Amino acid sequence: MITLDADDRLICLRAGEAADDHHGAVLPPISQASLYRKRTMKELLDGLSREHSANVYSRGTNPTVKVLEDTLAKLERAEACKCFGSGMGAVSAVLFGLLKAGDHVLFLNDIYGPTLELAARLEDFGVSWSHTYARDIDAITAEMRDTTRLVYMESPGSMLFRLLPIAQVCAMAKARGAITVIDNTVATPLLQKPLAFGADLAIHSCSKYIGGHSDVIGGAVMGSRELIERLFYKSYMLLGSVMAPLDAFLLLRGLMTLPDRMLRHHEDALAIANFLQDHPRIGGIHHPAFCNEDAALFKKQMLGASGLFSVALKDTSYDETLAIADRLTLFGRAVSWGGAESLVICGHKADPAGRATRLPATLLRFSIGLEGADNLIADLEQALS
Ligand SMILES: Cc1ncc(COP(=O)(O)O)c(C=O)c1O
């Protein structure tokens, strides 16, 4: 059984308690307004001069979204947070906001496909990029260029959940003047706090565990006040990927159960992965707790492993892999993850640019929901028989 930070539980539970009393409402009202009137022209001009911290227009700030931002900043132990209309909105704001023509960005580990697609789009604006699966710090350092301004990583990485030495990467990048960014979506701020290891920015797709009910698309970036303010003016306000107040409200509601959900996801995924490890049809388990090479990093960097893992089937064709996924009755065949319902998806043969991926052809990724490990094991048993 894993133990989460005691403060985090309270931060999540009291997320809705806004600074304003709102008549004692346990959740803040949904401030469904696009603009905010000021009493005087001077007050309006003052607001416009610091739009990141004044309610002027909801493409900038919104009181309900602000409550969520303050809560997420606390959870990630960051000075500030900005929320976005999607995880990709957050990724776009970071890349477009911090890079300029002539800069290079280095991507590490298995990266969410559309993030790399976006990197390829950046070439049109004079930004170069490269990507390595290296995890040894010397090999990673060798990939740095004089023009590398940003190092972007996922740990755990998408689909295969391998880990990176976050503190080493951040120290190396910092010494070379590059900003470090980590997509921390898989771990959530409860299971891993990358800013404590030296990362400058943490990105989250709130569409996954933070929302937790498969009903919201959202994103967030956490970091220093200075960097978040820079993003606000250089990309957030201009790209316009804005979180709706209703979505912020739903995410605040989701946060209240996040600690308990993450404990359940972690425990049940572990039990199911343990069952599958001994199954004759399984050739390999891709789960942070099952990877001997990453054992020390897992212990150092993470409190738990979430409900995500994948398996490679043994002596099985691609078509049979799909048929096994189709035989599952409790797992939905769907993209995304992080909700109450268990999901399964096969590995993609090619990345969005059409290049062959390094994923095994017989890979199935599971998002373990809240149906109970025994029920899910029984379902997997029948599908694999
Ligand atoms: C690791 C990771 N980062 C970012 C995203 C993008 O988030 P969104 O779908 O909210 O735009 C996803 C979505 O699947 C993801 O898995």
Side-chain angles (χ1 to χ4, degrees), residues 8-245:
D8 282 354
R9 179 173 282 280
L10 292 182
I11 293 168
C12 286
L13 267 174
R14 305 180 72 170
E17 290 182 18
D20 296 339
D21 183 41
H22 301 306
H23 310 287
V26 279
L27 281 172
I30 302 167
S31 188
Q32 190 65 42
S34 61
L35 56 90
Y36 293 85
R37 266 196 298 259
K38 305 298 173 193
R39 278 166 307 175
T40 65
M41 214 54 192
K42 189 168 174 308
E43 206 182 315
L44 176 58
L45 291 172
D46 172 57
L48 279 169
S49 71
R50 49 176 190 89
E51 218 173 335
H52 65 281
S53 62
N55 296 316
V56 174
Y57 187 49
S58 281
R59 200 182 81 238
T61 60
N62 169 279
T64 315
V65 177
K66 179 74 165 61
V67 176
L68 176 66
E69 289 169 346
D70 290 348
T71 308
L72 291 176
K74 275 190 213 160
L75 281 180
E76 199 64 274
R77 307 294 188 266
E79 283 177 3
C81 166
K82 192 68 213 144
C83 282
F84 295 80
S86 68
M88 279 312 294
V91 174
S92 307
V94 166
L95 297 182
F96 278 98
L98 300 180
L99 295 167
K100 60 179 182 346
D103 290 349
H104 167 255
V105 51
L106 175 62
F107 290 91
L108 305 179
N109 208 4
D110 292 286
I111 298 280
Y112 178 59
T115 300
L116 289 183
E117 251 185 290
L118 183 65
R121 284 285 292 126
L122 284 172
E123 285 174 13
D124 297 341
F125 301 91
V127 174
S128 61
W129 65 286
S130 56
H131 178 208
T132 177
Y133 294 112
R135 38 197 97 254
D136 168 73
I137 192 63
D138 292 333
I140 293 172
T141 307
E143 299 291 326
M144 294 290 283
R145 303 181 187 170
D146 291 344
T147 52
T148 307
R149 295 284 165 265
L150 202 145
V151 176
Y152 187 109
M153 62 192 125
E154 282 188 27
S155 179
S158 284
M159 297 302 279
L160 297 178
F161 311 106
R162 291 296 308 268
L163 306 185
L164 288 169
I166 301 171
Q168 281 184 322
V169 171
C170 293
M172 178 279 294
K174 208 154 281 183
R176 286 162 179 74
I179 291 173
T180 44
V181 179
I182 179 164
D183 183 329
N184 199 28
T185 305
V186 170
T188 79
L190 298 191
L191 299 181
Q192 176 169 271
K193 302 213 187 287
L195 269 53
F197 295 112
D200 293 305
L201 291 173
I203 292 181
H204 288 272
S205 164
C206 301
S207 325
K208 321 293 180 194
Y209 287 123
I210 290 178
H213 294 77
S214 307
D215 52 8
V216 183
I217 297 288
V221 183
M222 295 84 139
S224 70
R225 207 162 274 120
E226 190 270 320
L227 271 178
I228 298 297
E229 226 173 275
R230 194 159 14 134
L231 288 179
F232 183 89
Y233 291 108
K234 291 198 81 168
S235 54
Y236 171 81
M237 280 292 277
L238 304 177
L239 294 176
S241 172
V242 175
M243 178 176 284

